[in-house]
Amino acid sequence: MTAMDSCALVLGGGGVTGIAWETGLIAGLAGLGINLAAADVIIGTSAGSVVGTDIASGQEPEALYQAQLAPPAPEPAARISWDFIGRLLWAVHTSRHPKQARARIGRWALAVPTMPEADRRKVIEDRLPASVWPSRALKVTAVDARTGEFAVFDSAGRAGLVDAVGASCAVPGVWPPVTIGERRFMDGGMRTIANADLAASYERVVIIAPVAAGMGFMASPGRQAAALTAAGARVALVRPDRAAVRAMGRNVLDVSRRAAAARAGRAQAAAEAPAVQAVWQA
């Protein structure tokens, strides 16, 4: 990385439909000559960790897009529970410190029954194009479920790729926290949904955020983009347009909406291309 010629791609969380929308958008931009896979670093949170692994591993955007259009493999129906949403709101608004709030959610995530961790790991392993870290710089976020501590995994650490991505995608109450060493980790979106502040040292940043919301000290992608801009970076933030929001639906874990979300992402690419190109190819 050089100080004056560096670019970061930030891929936020957003469930199964978020993976599809991000994939469609990236494929659409690639078709217009904008290669986001050429980033100096790719920062992935939850759904974004899956998409980030795909493109950092050299997968062709068009092939990834076509895979999202195929009928999904059978897997257990999943939905983010109202119990989790209520606990998250309570933790955020009654905790004095973000780390304390995350630890409260983590304690619940460790206690609530979900599928066996080994079974979930197999799902993640089958979803990824490789089980080893790619040569291109990739950072994957997660949160220690016991302490609330934020963690960033990459090829320089001890965590394997499959476990890092599994941890980043471990939605509390839906999927089990992931064991890495002697610690258990949950979804990186429990800090913020995109963790775009990790791109603070980069001059050009593109943030793709399937979920645009934030709450309290959980900064939204918009707030993080504004902070990066204020610090001197050139930033493009892409969020789902109205058609994409409709296509993705209210349940981000609904695999039946995957193809529609991917098509919506691809369709949105043309409108977003000028702003993204202005940052990416400056």
Side-chain angles (χ1 to χ4, degrees), residues 12 20 85 191 197 207 225 252 256-257 273:
I85 294 171
R191 178 179 180 262
D197 56 315
I207 305 169
V252 299
S256 71
R257 289 185 173 268

Side-chain angles (χ1 to χ4, degrees), residues 1-2 4 31 39 41 45 87 105 113 120-121 124 133 135 139 146 162 172 179 216 228 237 243 245 251 261 274-275:
M1 184 187 79
T2 60
M4 296 304 295
V41 67
T45 292
R87 287 174 183 272
I105 293 297
R120 178 60 179 167
R121 189 183 193 281
I124 297 295
W133 287 93
S135 58
K139 296 184 181 296
R146 292 194 177 96
V162 174
T179 303
L228 290 169
L237 171 61
V245 169
N251 178 13

Side-chain angles (χ1 to χ4, degrees), residues 78-170:
R79 175 181 290 274
I80 295 174
S81 70
W82 287 109
D83 187 13
F84 164 67
I85 294 171
R87 287 174 183 272
L88 179 61
L89 289 169
W90 171 78
V92 168
H93 293 296
T94 63
S95 303
R96 291 188 175 185
H97 191 277
K99 186 176 175 182
Q100 180 189 51
R102 296 193 293 266
R104 286 181 172 183
I105 293 297
R107 285 194 294 270
W108 177 73
L110 289 166
V112 68
T114 59
M115 72 188 300
E117 186 179 341
D119 292 352
R120 178 60 179 167
R121 189 183 193 281
K122 185 66 166 59
V123 171
I124 297 295
E125 187 173 28
D126 290 345
R127 187 172 287 170
L128 298 180
S131 59
V132 297
W133 287 93
S135 58
R136 184 171 296 279
L138 171 67
K139 296 184 181 296
V140 173
T141 69
V143 169
D144 187 310
R146 292 194 177 96
T147 68
E149 181 181 357
F150 184 54
V152 181
F153 301 117
D154 59 22
S155 61
R158 295 183 178 181
L161 178 64
V162 174
D163 291 328
V165 173
S168 192
C169 294

Side-chain angles (χ1 to χ4, degrees), residues 158-207:
R158 295 183 178 181
L161 178 64
V162 174
D163 291 328
V165 173
S168 192
C169 294
V171 181
V174 179
W175 312 121
V178 171
T179 303
I180 298 177
E182 296 181 353
R183 303 167 71 184
R184 304 283 304 281
F185 291 90
M186 63 181 179
D187 198 313
M190 294 299 97
R191 178 179 180 262
T192 73
I193 197 65
N195 295 303
D197 56 315
L198 294 180
S201 62
Y202 290 82
E203 184 186 47
R204 293 173 286 137
V205 183
V206 171
I207 305 169

